Amino acid sequence: MQIFDGIISDRGSKYAVSGGPCASPDEAKAFIKQLCRKKKFAKATHNTWAYMTPEGPVKNDDGETGAGMLMAQMLEREGLMHHIVVVTRWYGGKHLGGDRFRHVQDSVRYYLDHADLG
């Protein structure tokens, strides 16, 4: 599991991105469970995630409607299969509107650029 914490801060909301190998829905659940063993991540407002399989995307918006599909599309464009990416958001008290999608996209891009995907 690779975690990049504190990568974006906007109007009080804070973002982190994490990821690792994942080949099934059960592995995705186990990954999220392991991530949430860290108290900070368990208290997050959203842990949105996605991973790609040959059959298509598997995703969970966790309250950030549409964010999982955006993440899945980015992973598909990169050709990254069987690797879960989780964008975590701690809500800061002010609505971000459409900026939240830009932050999700920037978080996934950060992960793709900095994580060891091999």
Side-chain angles (χ1 to χ4, degrees):
M1 177 179 295
Q2 298 174 77
I3 299 173
F4 301 95
D5 196 4
I7 59 169
I8 296 172
S9 182
D10 182 6
R11 290 168 266 178
S13 287
K14 297 186 182 345
Y15 286 80
V17 65
S18 54
C22 181
S24 72
D26 286 339
E27 286 185 20
K29 288 176 191 169
F31 186 94
I32 297 298
K33 187 175 181 179
Q34 180 182 357
L35 181 66
C36 288
R37 283 191 188 120
K38 298 175 188 331
K39 196 174 196 177
K40 178 178 183 177
F41 288 85
K43 290 185 172 190
T45 312
H46 307 284
N47 282 299
T48 304
W49 57 266
Y51 72 93
M52 290 299 300
T53 71
E55 294 79 35
V58 180
K59 59 188 175 37
N60 185 318
D61 290 335
D62 193 30
E64 288 277 32
T65 305
M69 183 52 78
L70 174 67
M71 294 171 66
Q73 290 168 344
M74 291 181 72
L75 298 177
E76 184 175 30
R77 276 195 304 271
E78 289 292 318
L80 185 60
M81 302 291 280
H82 303 297
H83 195 98
I84 191 170
V85 177
V86 181
V87 174
T88 302
R89 176 182 177 196
W90 293 269
Y91 180 64
K94 294 184 181 171
H95 292 286
L96 301 180
D99 287 342
R100 66 190 175 97
F101 290 107
R102 182 172 46 85
H103 296 327
V104 168
Q105 190 173 21
D106 290 346
S107 297
V108 173
R109 175 57 40 212
Y110 187 96
Y111 185 83
L112 294 171
D113 290 345
H114 293 90
D116 177 9
L117 303 175

